[in-house]
């Protein structure tokens, strides 16, 4: 296990946030840290890459069965890694699934997954965060607009934009059941948000984002400049997206669940330091402090 932390006060903060006002900072890091071949040109340009057929139907069935097993397990539901919907009382997310499930651990190590992460980040990678998102039908709440990097920088201490996420659909993504929305090109500007980070902010933010939320004016400006892309696709499709892409998803009021497994890979050369704009670190099941490369 690799666990080496640096005080963030020893580093130049390239992306200030959580101050008295919103601040726009041009991106100071590459988007793709290695060669940009034709397959990564859309990712470089837009900040995301869709793979319509990452998993086969048979593979999807295995992972969906494991998701169902985990959310039905009383021990998992009672664990702090399980996030519960405030209204319905149903499981919303389960974090650190690659540690509590060997099935999902194998998915993390799958070369189609970790290999793509290494290609984008130009180095060995470790898992900064993993989770399953359940989002059942009939009222599961969405995730408000945000940049993941804003939170990971402010509260987890990731210094640079050298992190990539992949959302792998385990149910069909319709245009009506709360799908992922991204603003193409928004990854090239960092929006530092206004307002200090409350202690133990994660307990609220995992159910409803508050600190680190952009203003309506900033979101309107970004949407006007970049537009909004909604992702649909079969179970087994995947969306790779940059850590600084502005994204969110709506509520799911349809009868059809939208479940996915979400894996965040960070470069081993970008290991977390102390938080840049928070009084304490978030728990390790949300922001890893084990920087061991995925093998």
């Amino acid at each position: 296990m690799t666990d080496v932390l640096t005080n963030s006060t020893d580093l130049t903060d390239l992306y200030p946030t959580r101050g008295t006002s919103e601040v726009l900072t041009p991106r100071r890091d590459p988007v793709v840290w290695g060669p940009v071949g034709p397959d990564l040109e859309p990712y470089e340009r837009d900040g995301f890459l869709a793979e319509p057929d990452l998993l086969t139907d048979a593979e999807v069935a295995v992972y969906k069965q494991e998701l169902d097993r985990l959310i039905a397990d009383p021990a998992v539901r009672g664990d702090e890694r399980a996030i519960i919907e405030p209204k319905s009382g149903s499981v919303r997310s389960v974090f650190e699934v690659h540690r509590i499930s060997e099935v999902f651990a194998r998915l993390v190590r799958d070369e189609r997954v970790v290999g793509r992460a290494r290609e984008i980040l130009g180095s060995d990678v470790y898992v900064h965060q993993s989770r399953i998102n359940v989002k059942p039908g009939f009222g599961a709440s969405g995730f408000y607009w945000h940049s993941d990097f804003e939170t990971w920088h402010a509260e987890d201490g990731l210094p640079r934009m050298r992190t990539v996420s992949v959302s792998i659909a385990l149910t069909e993504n319709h245009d009506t059941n709360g799908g992922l929305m991204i603003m193409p090109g928004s990854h090239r500007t960092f929006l530092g948000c206004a307002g200090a980070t409350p202690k133990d902010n994660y307990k609220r933010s995992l159910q409803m984002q508050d600190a680190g939320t952009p203003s309506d004016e900033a979101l309107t400006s970004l949407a006007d400049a970049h537009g909004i892309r909604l992702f649909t696709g079969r179970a087994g499709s995947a969306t790779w997206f940059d850590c600084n892409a502005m994204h969110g998803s709506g509520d799911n009021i349809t009868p059809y669940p939208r479940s996915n497994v979400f894996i965040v890979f960070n470069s081993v050369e970008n290991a977390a330091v102390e938080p840049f704009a928070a009084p304490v670190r978030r728990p390790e099941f949300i922001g890893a402090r084990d920087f061991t490369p995925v093998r």
Side-chain angles (χ1 to χ4, degrees), residues 202-284:
Y202 78 93
K203 292 180 180 179
R204 174 176 170 79
S205 68
L206 296 179
Q207 293 181 332
M208 182 176 295
Q209 187 85 0
D210 190 6
T213 301
S215 68
D216 291 352
E217 293 76 14
L219 288 171
T220 300
S221 178
L222 286 170
D224 286 346
H226 302 293
I228 297 172
R229 166 80 182 272
L230 171 66
F231 290 87
T232 59
R234 58 173 287 275
S237 63
T239 306
W240 293 87
F241 59 101
D242 179 82
C243 59
N244 190 48
M246 190 63 68
H247 66 286
S249 63
D251 296 349
N252 182 14
I253 62 172
T254 75
Y256 311 112
R258 178 184 169 262
S259 299
N260 68 298
V261 54
F262 182 79
I263 307 164
V264 180
F265 293 101
N266 188 39
S267 168
V268 296
E269 298 172 11
N270 189 46
V273 298
E274 292 300 326
F276 284 86
V280 294
R281 307 176 199 163
R282 297 195 299 174
E284 293 191 29

Side-chain angles (χ1 to χ4, degrees), residues 113-251:
V113 177
V114 69
R116 176 69 82 184
R118 294 191 194 107
E119 183 183 14
I120 291 170
L121 301 180
S123 69
D124 280 334
V125 297
Y126 70 93
V127 176
H128 177 70
Q129 184 186 106
S130 72
R131 68 178 187 261
I132 47 174
N133 293 324
V134 182
K135 210 164 192 180
F138 298 117
S141 53
F143 293 87
Y144 197 68
W145 290 105
H146 64 286
S147 152
D148 286 329
F149 180 75
E150 193 280 335
T151 298
W152 298 338
H153 182 69
E155 300 186 42
D156 297 340
L158 296 192
R160 310 293 293 266
M161 293 181 183
R162 200 171 180 180
T163 313
V164 63
S165 301
V166 60
S167 175
I168 304 172
L170 300 182
T171 56
E172 186 169 354
N173 283 249
H174 303 283
D175 59 3
T176 52
N177 64 342
L180 175 67
M181 296 181 287
I182 299 179
M183 297 184 187
S186 60
H187 62 304
R188 295 198 174 275
T189 303
F190 176 72
L191 178 60
C193 296
T197 309
K199 186 178 180 181
D200 291 340
N201 177 57
Y202 78 93
K203 292 180 180 179
R204 174 176 170 79
S205 68
L206 296 179
Q207 293 181 332
M208 182 176 295
Q209 187 85 0
D210 190 6
T213 301
S215 68
D216 291 352
E217 293 76 14
L219 288 171
T220 300
S221 178
L222 286 170
D224 286 346
H226 302 293
I228 297 172
R229 166 80 182 272
L230 171 66
F231 290 87
T232 59
R234 58 173 287 275
S237 63
T239 306
W240 293 87
F241 59 101
D242 179 82
C243 59
N244 190 48
M246 190 63 68
H247 66 286
S249 63
D251 296 349

Side-chain angles (χ1 to χ4, degrees), residues 27-34 44 160-162 188 242:
R27 186 187 186 105
R28 299 179 177 179
D29 291 306
V31 178
V32 176
W33 289 72
E44 169 83 12
R160 310 293 293 266
M161 293 181 183
R162 200 171 180 180
R188 295 198 174 275
D242 179 82

Side-chain angles (χ1 to χ4, degrees), residues 68-80 82 84 91:
D68 292 341
R69 183 189 72 80
L70 289 171
I71 63 174
D73 186 338
V76 172
R77 182 184 175 88
D79 192 283
E80 65 175 346
I84 308 300
V91 174

